[in-house]
Amino acid sequence: MNIFEEDKEFIAGTYNRFPVAIVSGKGSLLTDIDGKNYIDMGAGIAVNSFGAADEKWQEAVIQQIKKVQHTSNLYYSEPPARLAHMLCDRTGMKKVFFSNSGAEANECAFKVARKYAADRKGPEYFNIITLKNSFHGRTLTCLSATGQEHYHELFQPLTPGFLHAEANNLDDVKNLIANNKTAAVMIECVQGEGGVVALDADYVKALADFVKANDILLVVDEVQTGNGRSGKLYSYMNFDIQPDVVSTAKGLAGGLPIGATLLGEKVQNVLGAGDNGSTFGGNLVSCAAGVSILERIDENLLSEVRAKSKFLFDEFSNSEGIEAVTGMGLMIGLKTTKPASEVVKKCIEKGVLCLTAKDRIRLLPALNIPMELLEKAAKIIKECCK
Ligand SMILES: *Cc1c(COP(=O)(O)O)cnc(C)c1O
């Protein structure tokens, strides 16, 4: 059996894969089973922050694997403590809960919000408001939080207590809060799976001020937007707000599974012993990788991300077959005249791997993609959009 046959026969059919089998890579270049090279404009869906098989990242992982790979949360160990310390120093948050994925990071955020509200106001303050067109993950509760009907249809009943407000409409959130006892509001500053659309800056600021005045928690889902992707360490830093809870995952460990829920001043002591847990959470190899990634997302790298972002916005604006360029940092959406899936197929033929989000092309290259590859990829993508 070849890879394609074996996969189709034995792996659950939850993914529509492209007919490409990647076997190796170096930075932003990937090689498939036939030896064909691709410029990688997806980075494993914003996961490989410094591309494939990055040497510094490998070194951090190998060093930790040689010492011990996992100890459980029954004992103290350095990599998770170190990573949590770095995350708090760079965000002003106070404590971190580690898990293994974005969905779990969000699950922890929901638990924190409900417990905080129950302790302060009463258990009937359980509602959590998210935005329409949002995406918060695949567990039943995260699906409940996700503000897109088509994700809900097949899996009823979902977790109760999630309400969806129209994005960029403050009155809609205010109405929901007036009519429902609310624990928290959760947003993505740039909706990723929803089509790579940044929320209006005025709206985000006004929303943050409003919930703060009402002692309702502000949760920011930074699973996709976080860890340098937006041109700041976390996307909320572009909006002059301070969230109470931040969830992150994807790029934090540069290609290994990790989830992190960052807890601000108000909620730092909400979770006590036994209130949450995860066997793999704080895994030593993932956290050692996370430390090495976070060390390298410095002001220098972030300004490069912003410069590359500007380059892509300039390239794609007013280009034939591209009707809109959206997003922030190295998280870019292209509304194309041709169907996005058709453009992606053409790009694959020409050696560029892109993603889609809804009806858009979505680009999430490694934060350190060399300018020369970025220029080459942009040229090919523009060609394929015509
Ligand atoms: C990918 C994503 C998730 C889910 O993360 P998993 O690691 O797949 O569980 C949640 N929220 C946002 C905004 C995401 O982009």
Side-chain angles (χ1 to χ4, degrees):
M1 271 184 155
N2 67 34
I3 294 177
F4 302 99
E5 293 162 349
E6 199 171 22
D7 180 301
K8 284 202 175 101
E9 174 112 12
F10 295 108
I11 290 188
T14 58
Y15 303 105
N16 269 327
R17 301 196 207 277
F18 294 106
V20 175
I22 302 295
V23 292
S24 64
K26 196 75 214 154
S28 288
L29 279 178
L30 299 176
T31 305
D32 77 6
I33 197 165
D34 301 318
K36 179 175 170 181
N37 287 326
Y38 301 86
I39 302 173
D40 180 14
M41 293 295 284
I45 319 190
V47 165
N48 297 341
S49 300
F50 290 89
D54 174 81
E55 273 167 27
K56 285 183 190 145
W57 172 85
Q58 279 180 335
E59 192 52 30
V61 169
I62 289 166
Q63 285 307 320
Q64 186 56 48
I65 286 177
K66 283 184 174 171
K67 288 184 208 160
V68 55
Q69 74 276 35
H70 176 82
T71 53
S72 90
N73 284 301
L74 297 174
Y75 310 104
Y76 290 87
S77 38
E78 189 181 319
R82 185 92 201 85
L83 181 57
H85 190 165
M86 289 171 81
L87 285 166
C88 289
D89 275 354
R90 296 197 53 190
T91 59
M93 304 299 271
K94 301 295 180 196
K95 291 200 191 301
V96 179
F97 177 83
F98 286 117
S99 52
N100 316 286
S101 66
E104 281 173 286
N106 284 342
E107 293 271 348
C108 176
F110 303 143
K111 287 173 87 169
V112 167
R114 284 195 171 162
K115 185 153 185 288
Y116 174 81
D119 291 348
R120 278 177 80 91
K121 300 185 190 170
E124 67 279 18
Y125 282 80
F126 58 71
N127 289 293
I128 294 170
I129 298 172
T130 66
L131 300 184
K132 290 183 179 160
N133 200 41
S134 60
F135 180 84
H136 297 297
R138 300 289 191 158
T139 61
L140 280 172
T141 297
C142 288
L143 282 185
S144 233
T146 293
Q148 302 187 52
E149 282 303 318
H150 71 100
Y151 283 109
H152 297 174
E153 282 155 12
L154 301 173
F155 304 106
Q156 298 292 325
L158 297 179
T159 306
F162 285 88
L163 306 163
H164 308 294
E166 202 180 297
N168 298 320
N169 180 344
L170 191 60
D171 286 337
D172 202 21
V173 179
K174 285 184 177 172
N175 277 332
L176 287 174
I177 290 173
N179 295 307
N180 301 275
K181 294 185 164 51
T182 302
V185 175
M186 183 188 214
I187 60 171
E188 297 158 88
C189 293
V190 184
Q191 295 187 325
E193 309 290 319
V196 202
V197 259
L199 296 178
D200 295 344
D202 294 349
Y203 168 76
V204 173
K205 182 79 179 119
L207 176 65
D209 290 344
F210 180 78
V211 295
K212 190 172 180 190
N214 290 275
D215 198 16
I216 288 166
L217 298 177
L218 179 66
V219 183
V220 180
D221 179 339
E222 296 268 8
V223 172
Q224 188 163 159
T225 51
N227 312 304
R229 181 65 41 200
S230 75
K232 296 271 172 95
L233 183 59
Y234 289 100
S235 70
Y236 75 79
M237 295 170 175
N238 296 287
F239 291 83
D240 185 29
I241 58 168
Q242 184 64 40
D244 299 298
V245 181
V246 169
S247 56
T248 191
K250 288 192 167 86
L252 179 58
L256 287 176
I258 194 166
T261 311
L262 282 50
L263 308 176
E265 182 115 43
K266 274 190 189 176
V267 297
Q268 59 177 312
N269 296 317
V270 167
L271 295 178
D275 289 344
N276 207 8
S278 163
T279 298
F280 277 112
N283 171 267
L284 305 191
V285 182
S286 293
C287 287
V291 167
S292 87
I293 293 293
L294 215 53
E295 272 172 352
R296 293 165 72 190
I297 305 179
D298 55 12
E299 220 8 82
N300 213 7
L301 180 89
L302 292 170
S303 75
E304 273 176 37
V305 167
R306 295 193 291 268
K308 285 170 190 171
S309 176
K310 183 172 183 309
F311 167 76
L312 289 179
F313 269 92
D314 289 348
E315 276 292 289
F316 294 131
S317 298
N318 307 312
S319 177
E320 191 186 336
I322 299 176
E323 292 163 18
V325 192
T326 58
M328 191 178 262
L330 285 177
M331 180 172 178
I332 287 182
L334 304 177
K335 188 171 179 345
T336 51
T337 310
K338 283 189 203 160
S341 58
E342 204 178 290
V343 175
V344 169
K345 246 185 229 165
K346 268 196 167 175
C347 286
I348 289 176
E349 281 167 27
K350 299 204 148 93
V352 174
L353 297 180
C354 309
L355 309 168
T356 59
K358 289 239 169 122
D359 61 343
R360 311 259 169 125
I361 304 286
R362 176 171 45 154
L363 305 176
L364 301 164
L367 304 179
N368 67 341
I369 184 170
M371 204 52 211
E372 168 211 344
L373 287 183
L374 202 62
E375 282 167 6
K376 219 164 141 187
K379 197 167 162 210
I380 291 170
I381 294 165
K382 274 167 49 172
E383 208 49 51
C384 294
C385 288
K386 279 185 190 161

